[in-house]
Amino acid sequence: MTKPQIDVLYSTEAIAARVAALAGEIRDAGFRENLLVVAVLKGGFVFAADLIRALHVAGVSPEVDFMSLSSYRAGTASSGTVTVLRDLETDVTGRNVLIVDDILESGRTLAYAKTLLAERGAARVGLAVLLDKPGHRVAAIEGDFVGFTCPDLFVVGYGMDMGHAFRELPYIGHVVTAQ
Ligand code: IMP
Ligand code: MG
C-alpha cells in the first residue's frame, strides 16, 4: 500500500488566524453570555478545542459539551440518515448554544442537531463550521460562522478523517491519491 499524497489546502497558520477571527465574530454576534459550545464528534473536536481557547482570548468563557452524530460512516459516502450516538449531558434550556463542527456539506447532520437543540429550549442556536462545502447542500441550513468556503475536494486533517486516518494532521489537506 503506497502512502497517499496529501496536498496542504489550509496551513496550520492560516487556520489559527481564521479561528482567532471567528472567535471575535462569535463574541460580537452576541453569543457571549451563558454560552454552551456543543462540539460535534468526532470531526469537530480539534476545531472546537482551538475555538474555545480563541474564545477565551476574545473574552468569552463558554461551557463545553459533546455530541456524536452519525452521518458518514467508515467510508466517504453519506448514509443519508442521522442518529444521535452520544447525547449532551447539559440542559440547553434558555442558553446560547453554539454547535461546532468540521464541515457543512449536505447539511443533514447539522440541520438535525440545530432543530433538536432548539426544540429542547435553547434561547439561540448558532452554527460554527470550519469548512463550508456548499456544492452538495440538501438541507436548508447555512453556517452562522464559517472558517473557509472549501472547494469540492475530500479533505483530511485537523480532526477530519478518511477511513479513521489523518485526524492528527495539524493542517487541512486534500488527498490526491488514496490506495
Ligand atoms: P453533512 O453536512 O450532513 O453532509 O455532513 C458533513 C460531515 O461529513 C462532516 O461533518 C464530516 O464529518 C463529513 N465530511 C464531509 N466532507 C468530508 C471531507 O471532505 N472529509 C472528511 N469528512 C467529510
Ligand atoms: Mg462530522
Side-chain angles (χ1 to χ4, degrees), residues 72 101-109 133 153-155 161:
Y72 283 70
D101 202 0
D102 52 359
I103 304 183
L104 180 62
E105 193 174 32
S106 78
R108 278 192 200 98
T109 329
K133 281 184 172 180
L153 299 169
F154 197 79
V155 296
D161 74 309

Side-chain angles (χ1 to χ4, degrees), residues 4-7 174-178:
Q5 181 191 326
I6 298 174
D7 287 355
H174 160 230
V175 184
V176 179
T177 46

Side-chain angles (χ1 to χ4, degrees), residues 8-171:
V8 177
L9 261 185
Y10 303 105
S11 69
T12 304
E13 296 72 24
I15 296 167
R18 192 65 195 108
V19 169
L22 279 178
E25 290 177 28
I26 291 163
R27 175 201 55 211
D28 296 344
F31 279 86
R32 190 181 192 129
E33 303 305 323
N34 199 17
L35 176 62
L36 178 70
V37 163
V38 172
V40 180
L41 301 173
K42 298 176 188 170
F45 84 107
V46 174
F47 175 40
D50 281 348
L51 186 62
I52 60 169
R53 286 175 288 182
L55 284 167
H56 167 79
V57 173
V60 184
S61 306
E63 288 180 19
V64 187
D65 204 342
F66 303 88
M67 248 187 146
S68 179
L69 301 162
S70 72
S71 61
Y72 283 70
R73 296 282 181 176
T76 58
S78 174
S79 66
T81 56
V82 183
T83 28
V84 179
L85 302 175
R86 190 246 184 232
D87 207 343
L88 297 178
E89 293 172 357
T90 311
D91 182 359
V92 300
T93 309
R95 301 197 66 164
N96 280 324
V97 175
L98 184 68
I99 298 172
V100 175
D101 202 0
D102 52 359
I103 304 183
L104 180 62
E105 193 174 32
S106 78
R108 278 192 200 98
T109 329
L110 292 173
Y112 178 88
K114 220 179 158 179
T115 303
L116 184 69
L117 301 186
E119 283 173 358
R120 287 181 184 174
R124 197 167 167 203
V125 185
L127 174 60
V129 290
L130 186 61
L131 302 181
D132 185 10
K133 281 184 172 180
H136 299 280
R137 195 83 86 247
V138 172
I141 185 171
E142 295 303 327
D144 300 297
F145 309 97
V146 173
F148 304 97
T149 301
C150 180
D152 190 13
L153 299 169
F154 197 79
V155 296
V156 295
Y158 200 71
M160 293 171 279
D161 74 309
M162 185 179 70
H164 305 295
F166 307 119
R167 292 194 199 273
E168 76 282 9
L169 299 178
Y171 52 86

